[in-house]
């Protein structure tokens, strides 16, 4: 098993757009959670070393120093030879002591929840950090030797202009950030902005912004390798496991695993998790489910999906099975076949949902 995801659901505050599995930080709850996490590892008999480990949330950096050290100790039997060890952090909850602990525990990649470097916009979405705090934690991490840093950005925020996004990218460039994840604001039910009836960008406007942002990032030397992700030096090894539809283990509240044709779904109930009842569902994936999911994930990558690999893995003729849909979107310049790969064009990336709905309509 190549990759391990660890979910830490705690946050110091809830942002206006957030719909992830999260709860407000309470120290006693975190202590109980870490005990339950340790139990899950032991109960599932997880052993061996992982190539990539990703601690996400929530806000993992909201844990105090003692709790973070306990977390890393719990994970230490699984993280001895990790090639890429990522922790998600928010600027306001990071300290020099936490950064020193990260270095001691061999974390070599940070994913920093910046969203924007514009202080007015940050305040509008209830982010508690300033642009200066974000800049300082990035600079300190790099001084300590953590060179592989991802920055999360969002576009389409209330009162945000395209010029604001360009200025965020200029800051990314000046800080020599190695990886950028940039997402259009999509509001799920029960988020604060949704309840306030905020209207995000419509589809046409979103497509124009997406193209302009892409051009500006590429002009700054970033390589666009997945719908929402760019790198300067190397892609995210951990996320490539998801996009290549390879097996992985997920532990913690609401985490999923993909193991040997099974999708294991952990509970979203913190109370249930505290009682060591972590597994909610074990879905046995049918071959047609795996076929579609591999196409769905693979088309997110600009490299596309290997036609030969798909044919051998699923004993099909991919181009024949999906011929009608492929020809339709080739005419629209949204799909192409290049050097043995089926891939979405840049235009097609804007219409992936439409393409996937049509592909899903093909009978098994």
């Amino acid at each position: 098993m190549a990759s391990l995801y660890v979910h830490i659901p705690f946050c110091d505050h809830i942002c206006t757009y957030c719909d992830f599995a999260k709860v407000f930080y309470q120290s006693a709850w975190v202590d109980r959670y870490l005990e339950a996490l340790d139990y899950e590892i032991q109960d599932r008999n997880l052993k061996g070393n992982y190539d990539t480990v990703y601690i996400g949330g929530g806000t993992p950096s909201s844990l105090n120093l003692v709790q973070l050290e306990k977390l890393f100790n719990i994970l230490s039997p699984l993280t001895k030879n990790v090639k890429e060890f990522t922790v998600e952090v928010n600027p306001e909850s990071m300290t020099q002591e936490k950064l020193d602990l990260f270095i001691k525990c061999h974390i070599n990649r940070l994913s920093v929840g910046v969203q924007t470097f514009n202080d007015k916009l940050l305040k509008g979405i209830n982010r508690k950090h300033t642009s200066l705090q974000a800049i300082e934690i990035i600079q300190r991490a790099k001084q300590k030797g953590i060179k592989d840093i991802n920055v999360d950005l969002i576009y389409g925020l209330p009162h945000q202009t395209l010029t604001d996004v360009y200025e965020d990218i200029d800051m990314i460039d000046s800080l020599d950030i190695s990886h950028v994840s940039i997402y259009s604001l999509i509001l799920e039910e029960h988020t604060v902005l949704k309840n306030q009836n905020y209207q995000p960008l419509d589809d046409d406007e979103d497509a124009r912004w997406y193209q302009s942002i892409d051009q500006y990032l590429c002009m700054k030397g970033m390589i666009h390798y997945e719908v929402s992700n760019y790198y300067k030096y190397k892609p995210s090894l951990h996320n490539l496991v998801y996009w290549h539809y390879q097996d992985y283990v997920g532990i913690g509240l609401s985490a999923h695993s993909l193991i040997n044709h099974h999708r294991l779904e952990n509970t979203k109930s913190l109370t249930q998790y505290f009682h060591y009842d972590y597994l909610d569902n074990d879905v046995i994936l049918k071959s047609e489910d795996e076929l579609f999911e591999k196409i769905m994930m693979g088309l997110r990558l600009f490299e596309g999906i290997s036609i030969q690999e798909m044919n051998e893995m699923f004993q099909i003729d991919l181009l024949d099975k999906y011929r009608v849909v492929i020809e339709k979107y080739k005419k629209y310049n949204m799909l192409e076949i290049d050097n043995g790969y089926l891939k979405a064009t840049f235009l097609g990336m804007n219409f992936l949902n439409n393409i996937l709905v049509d592909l899903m309509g093909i009978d098994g």
Side-chain angles (χ1 to χ4, degrees):
M1 210 65 66
S3 296
L4 174 69
Y5 173 77
V6 184
H7 191 70
I8 303 297
F10 301 98
C11 289
D12 290 318
H13 59 276
I14 305 301
C15 302
T16 58
Y17 54 85
C18 184
D19 191 43
F20 292 129
K22 75 280 182 185
V23 290
F24 280 113
Y25 174 89
Q26 292 190 36
S27 185
W29 284 7
V30 174
D31 293 338
R32 289 184 66 185
Y33 184 81
L34 293 176
E35 290 174 8
L37 190 72
D38 192 19
Y39 173 85
E40 182 184 354
I41 292 171
Q42 305 306 321
D43 192 59
R44 293 176 65 172
N45 198 27
L46 299 181
K47 294 179 179 177
N49 296 312
Y50 293 85
D51 291 332
T52 72
V53 175
Y54 192 107
I55 303 176
T59 311
S61 60
S62 67
L63 274 58
N64 66 38
L65 196 63
V66 172
Q67 290 164 340
L68 282 170
E69 190 161 20
K70 181 175 181 180
L71 171 64
F72 296 140
N73 286 337
I74 289 169
L75 297 175
S76 62
L78 309 175
T79 60
K80 295 191 182 304
N81 297 299
V82 179
K83 296 174 184 174
E84 183 185 270
F85 197 163
T86 306
V87 181
E88 288 183 355
V89 303
N90 277 353
E92 74 276 9
S93 58
M94 278 300 292
T95 63
Q96 187 63 53
E97 291 77 16
K98 290 180 184 180
L99 191 55
D100 289 340
L101 177 64
F102 285 7
I103 298 295
K104 175 185 170 186
C105 295
H106 308 295
I107 281 74
N108 57 15
R109 187 174 186 269
L110 296 185
S111 183
V112 187
V114 174
Q115 317 315 344
T116 175
F117 289 95
N118 184 306
D119 285 331
K120 287 184 179 179
L121 296 177
L122 286 170
K123 189 173 182 180
I125 56 174
N126 200 33
R127 298 292 287 184
K128 299 304 181 184
H129 72 270
T130 65
S131 59
L132 182 59
Q133 284 176 304
I135 292 166
E136 286 179 344
I137 191 58
I138 290 167
Q139 290 175 331
R140 274 190 274 149
K142 295 182 79 167
Q143 289 166 2
K144 286 285 185 178
I146 302 179
K147 307 294 186 185
D148 195 356
I149 295 177
N150 172 69
V151 163
D152 282 343
L153 295 178
I154 297 179
Y155 69 89
L157 296 170
H159 309 298
Q160 187 181 41
T161 66
L162 195 51
T163 300
D164 292 329
V165 184
Y166 290 159
E167 290 174 355
D168 287 340
I169 295 170
D170 287 339
M171 182 59 71
I172 293 282
D173 184 51
S174 70
L175 292 169
D176 193 29
I177 296 299
S178 58
H179 193 283
V180 178
S181 300
I182 183 161
Y183 304 98
S184 171
L185 179 67
I186 297 175
L187 296 181
E188 304 293 345
E189 296 297 330
H190 311 303
T191 58
V192 175
L193 284 179
K194 182 75 171 181
N195 292 338
Q196 292 173 349
N197 294 316
Y198 173 69
Q199 298 300 313
L201 301 175
D202 63 38
D203 289 346
D204 290 340
E205 196 172 14
D206 193 302
R208 288 194 296 271
W209 278 50
Y210 181 66
Q211 182 172 12
S212 298
I213 291 166
D214 174 75
Q215 290 172 345
Y216 202 69
L217 277 164
C218 292
M219 189 179 75
K220 296 292 186 177
M222 304 299 289
I223 297 169
H224 195 178
Y225 74 107
E226 191 269 348
V227 176
S228 304
N229 285 272
Y230 297 74
Y231 71 89
K232 185 175 285 187
Y233 306 116
K234 75 174 185 66
S236 165
L237 300 180
H238 184 86
N239 286 336
L240 281 174
V241 170
Y242 301 146
W243 296 322
H244 286 149
Y245 201 63
Q246 296 167 341
D247 282 4
Y248 63 91
V249 172
I251 58 175
L253 194 74
S254 78
H256 286 192
S257 304
L258 186 64
I259 304 173
N260 195 25
H261 311 293
H262 287 248
R263 178 179 294 107
L264 305 177
E265 301 173 347
N266 275 11
T267 179
K268 296 180 180 179
S269 165
L270 189 62
T271 302
Q272 189 174 325
Y273 196 77
F274 280 169
H275 287 90
Y276 304 131
D277 185 9
Y278 56 85
L279 184 60
D280 219 23
N281 208 3
D282 180 354
V283 180
I284 301 173
L285 297 169
K286 299 176 182 177
S287 179
E288 56 264 33
D289 296 329
E290 294 184 309
L291 170 61
F292 176 73
E293 289 178 8
K294 187 166 176 62
I295 292 173
M296 178 178 67
M297 300 305 288
L299 284 181
R300 293 184 63 88
L301 291 166
F302 276 91
E303 71 182 34
I305 50 181
S306 167
I307 296 167
Q308 181 179 345
E309 179 189 349
M310 297 294 287
N311 290 347
E312 291 174 355
M313 184 177 296
F314 296 100
Q315 296 297 298
I316 59 170
D317 184 331
L318 183 76
L319 298 185
D320 182 61
K321 179 178 177 65
Y322 295 107
R323 177 177 52 82
V324 173
V325 176
I326 291 171
E327 290 302 319
K328 171 184 175 180
Y329 285 101
K330 279 176 68 178
K331 288 178 183 176
Y332 293 149
N333 192 32
M334 293 182 188
L335 286 178
E336 62 181 359
I337 298 168
D338 179 35
N339 199 27
Y341 280 75
L342 174 67
K343 56 179 71 175
T345 63
F346 181 81
L347 177 62
M349 288 293 181
N350 286 281
F351 295 93
L352 263 186
N353 285 343
N354 303 69
I355 296 171
L356 292 170
V357 167
D358 279 4
L359 289 169
M360 193 165 54
I362 301 295
D363 292 334

